[in-house]
Amino acid sequence: MRFAQLAVLGAVVLAAFYFVSSLTTNLADKNIRTGFAFLSERAGFAIGETLISYGPGDSFAAALLVGLLNTLLVSALAIAFSTILGLWICMARLSRNWLLARIARIYIEIVRNIPLLLQIFVWYAVFLFSLPPPEIGGGGNFGFDNRGLHLPAFASAGPLALAAALGTLAWFLLRGTSIFKSRPRIAIIIVLSISVLALIVGGAEVVLPKSGKFGFSGGLSLSTEFLTLVVGLSVYTSAYLAEIFRSAILAVPMGQVEAAAALGLSPGSTMARIIVPQAVRIAIPPMTSWHLNTVKNSSLGVAIGYPEFVSVVDTVISQTGQAIEGVGLIVITFLTLSLILAFVSDRYARSFGWSLTGQAGRQAAAEVTEPLPLLRSSRWGTWAKRNLFATKLQTMLTLLALALTLVAGWSALAWLFLDATFTGGAPQCRINDGACWPFLKENFNLILFGTYPETERWRTVIAVVLMVGCLGLSFIVRLWGRRLATLWGLGIAAAIILLRGGFGLLEPVPMDKWSGLPVTLLLASIAVVAAFPLAVLLAFARQSSNTVFRRLAISFIELVRGVPLIGVLFIAAVMFPLFIPEWLTIDSLPRVQIALVLFTAAYMAEAVRGGLISVPKGQAEAAMALGLGKWQARRHVILPQALKVSVPGLVNTSISEVKNTTLVLIVGVFDLLQTTRLSYVEAQWRPYFAEAYLFSGTIFFAICFALSRLATKIERELTYEG
């Protein structure tokens, strides 16, 4: 065992020495300087949105501070809005109103199965192309146009800072009093009154925005990019938080609800005073994880030009050429933010004496409302009265939800079919207000296959069929195991051979010509298949008593999980070539693929580790008693039982990986989302971005929804076997 530790440690040291040596040589050959002395130099570029005073004459350090503050602002707002929206969606999902619960469920399914970056692009396109331009020379003190939202603002930050400081002080002073415990609403009113009084005494002056010849001036202007990022992150995260809240509420023991009813509390009071406070303690750990993801996902602002931290670092790298230091700043910053947020959440939970491990609760069905009855009028009447019109509030919610559903459904029907254009070209599409289906006919091949040679696109079609076929075969239970793994391996290998060509059989196609749907499916498939064995090794290493193995595994997992995927992709695209010798050339696509494999393995390793922890120690002891060796016991006894627990989590990670492939466009890889964006670059097709995103979004939804159904099937099969 000691020899194995020394061998692994020696291999790591030799690899580190080799990479550092190659890095030093490459930096010297390319005359690239190192160090952080550049932080004090003049930045020379402007930043459109700043929370502090900044100009092009300020230093790079000041620019990075501006980017960090923008990241914190976007993350804080997205965390707050997504939590509130997620709680509302959860309440609708748990509602006894059948229609409201179904609308909430559809919302969750759609939002969770479409990549975040695609949603951000959709919101950005909606704000940019659907809103009117600024009214030149118009009046008014409020505006919402394609340049952003314009609101009144305080003339100076002094009174606002004073009000915030006094309000915070009053809050902490009141926390230990009887008023806060018995009358929390009165305590909130006192705090707000003190804050408002501080604003008045401090002489707070409100400046109204005014529209002029060149748009709005004065007041507070929130740019389109800022609004897009906050709305996109909030909507996407709320779908996951809604399910977290729902699971936590269903985990509250049923006796608590029965006791509240016995005391005469109404359902609303029971939910607010009994169920939600207990559910919060259960929801905090997974909710904190998603808040950490929100902080990391804020880095997607780089895709739409919002100057958050990663975007500013990218600009700094392009200005100075110091990629190592820039990527290092991204890693250190996001790791620090993750640790701080985790620490604050932990301290908040412990201040209330809550246990972060949750509690045993009741087993409740996910569906609260009754299913639709058979077609009998008497049963329909009873069902509708119970599930749609039980109370006045239920009736109002039903009518409101029904009205919104009818309006949305009719609008969608009119846009998709009634007012749509089915023949002709862009001139004919401009006549009607509906969808422009000739756009998809014209750009179908570009969206699906991108820049792949037109005469060889039959190979891309076969490659897509192979990988989709492997996904379909994954639903056949009798194939689960080695046979399915072999099929996936053969399918991926055949797809690569078809796309690459060569061997004297097919015309070679360089990887920089690969694009569209085949690239998306290939990146996701290889990432999942190749990451699984690495994840198993990392999980065993993290659980090992071997200090070297355990610390190396922990360092790798926590480092990768604490950094946004964009940071990992930047390392692969920008830094990786500096760590390999000049004679070794690796295309951008394989480098990105390696990054996705490592990123996926880190998350899968935690799912596998959870399964390993669930296996009783007596299983290993019994295997050893039967004469099995350590690795034989792990392979034949421990791992099969662990995978039964962790497979649903592994499939969920696979779903995330399919959506994560959209981020590769940021480092220049042409996946399906990037070819979708290219389809409406031409001026004649620019107004029809909705059709492009609807098409690609449907493809992503179909793939992710199929994977989610596969996860459900696996859970059902494992539960049945158990």
Side-chain angles (χ1 to χ4, degrees), residues 10 78 167 327 434 514 579:
V327 175
W514 299 11
F579 284 93

Side-chain angles (χ1 to χ4, degrees), residues 413 473 579:
L413 180 65
L473 292 174
F579 284 93

Side-chain angles (χ1 to χ4, degrees), residues 512-596:
D512 57 2
K513 295 294 183 181
W514 299 11
S515 53
L517 181 59
V519 170
T520 294
L521 294 177
L522 200 61
L523 288 173
S525 301
I526 295 177
V528 172
V529 173
F532 176 71
L534 179 58
V536 172
L537 292 177
L538 287 171
F540 275 120
R542 185 160 186 174
Q543 291 294 104
S544 174
S545 58
N546 189 308
T547 305
V548 175
F549 293 166
R550 186 175 65 257
R551 290 184 178 178
L552 286 175
I554 291 174
S555 300
F556 173 81
I557 292 171
E558 296 303 329
L559 179 63
V560 173
R561 282 161 50 91
V563 179
L565 178 55
I566 288 181
V568 179
L569 294 176
F570 276 167
I571 293 174
V574 179
M575 290 181 59
F576 187 77
L578 298 175
F579 284 93
I580 59 177
E582 291 186 356
W583 56 266
L584 180 61
T585 302
I586 302 179
D587 292 332
S588 60
L589 186 59
R591 296 202 304 267
V592 167
Q593 184 69 80
I594 293 172
L596 289 173

Side-chain angles (χ1 to χ4, degrees), residues 348-604:
Y348 176 78
R350 293 183 184 279
S351 67
F352 287 91
W354 291 347
S355 170
L356 297 182
T357 58
Q359 67 182 62
R362 59 189 170 99
Q363 298 294 324
E367 296 296 329
V368 177
T369 57
E370 296 180 8
L372 286 171
L374 298 176
L375 293 177
R376 289 175 56 183
S377 58
S378 59
R379 294 191 63 189
W380 268 100
T382 304
W383 178 89
K385 184 176 181 180
R386 182 180 301 136
N387 293 280
L388 297 176
F389 307 104
T391 62
K392 292 182 179 180
L393 179 60
Q394 284 275 52
T395 302
M396 292 176 59
L397 290 175
T398 298
L399 295 177
L400 179 61
L402 186 61
L404 293 176
T405 302
L406 290 176
V407 170
W410 177 256
S411 300
L413 180 65
W415 186 81
L416 289 171
F417 301 107
L418 300 180
D419 299 331
T421 301
F422 294 93
T423 59
Q428 286 74 22
C429 289
R430 295 191 188 97
I431 299 174
N432 299 323
D433 296 329
C436 178
W437 298 122
F439 163 81
L440 287 181
K441 181 180 179 182
E442 180 73 19
N443 296 279
F444 179 82
N445 288 325
L446 175 61
I447 294 175
L448 286 183
F449 309 118
T451 57
Y452 201 87
E454 192 170 344
T455 57
E456 302 294 328
R457 282 180 179 168
W458 61 271
R459 291 151 60 177
T460 62
V461 174
I462 297 177
V464 169
V465 170
L466 284 172
M467 286 180 282
V468 173
C470 289
L471 177 59
L473 292 174
S474 300
F475 284 86
I476 302 177
V477 178
R478 65 176 179 271
L479 293 179
W480 290 359
R482 294 181 181 178
R483 285 180 289 182
L484 184 59
T486 302
L487 287 173
W488 270 104
L490 293 175
I492 292 172
I496 294 175
I497 292 173
L498 280 169
L499 294 174
R500 183 68 178 88
F503 305 104
L505 300 175
L506 298 171
E507 182 181 349
V509 177
M511 286 187 177
D512 57 2
K513 295 294 183 181
W514 299 11
S515 53
L517 181 59
V519 170
T520 294
L521 294 177
L522 200 61
L523 288 173
S525 301
I526 295 177
V528 172
V529 173
F532 176 71
L534 179 58
V536 172
L537 292 177
L538 287 171
F540 275 120
R542 185 160 186 174
Q543 291 294 104
S544 174
S545 58
N546 189 308
T547 305
V548 175
F549 293 166
R550 186 175 65 257
R551 290 184 178 178
L552 286 175
I554 291 174
S555 300
F556 173 81
I557 292 171
E558 296 303 329
L559 179 63
V560 173
R561 282 161 50 91
V563 179
L565 178 55
I566 288 181
V568 179
L569 294 176
F570 276 167
I571 293 174
V574 179
M575 290 181 59
F576 187 77
L578 298 175
F579 284 93
I580 59 177
E582 291 186 356
W583 56 266
L584 180 61
T585 302
I586 302 179
D587 292 332
S588 60
L589 186 59
R591 296 202 304 267
V592 167
Q593 184 69 80
I594 293 172
L596 289 173
V597 169
L598 296 178
F599 188 83
T600 307
Y603 281 86
M604 279 189 169

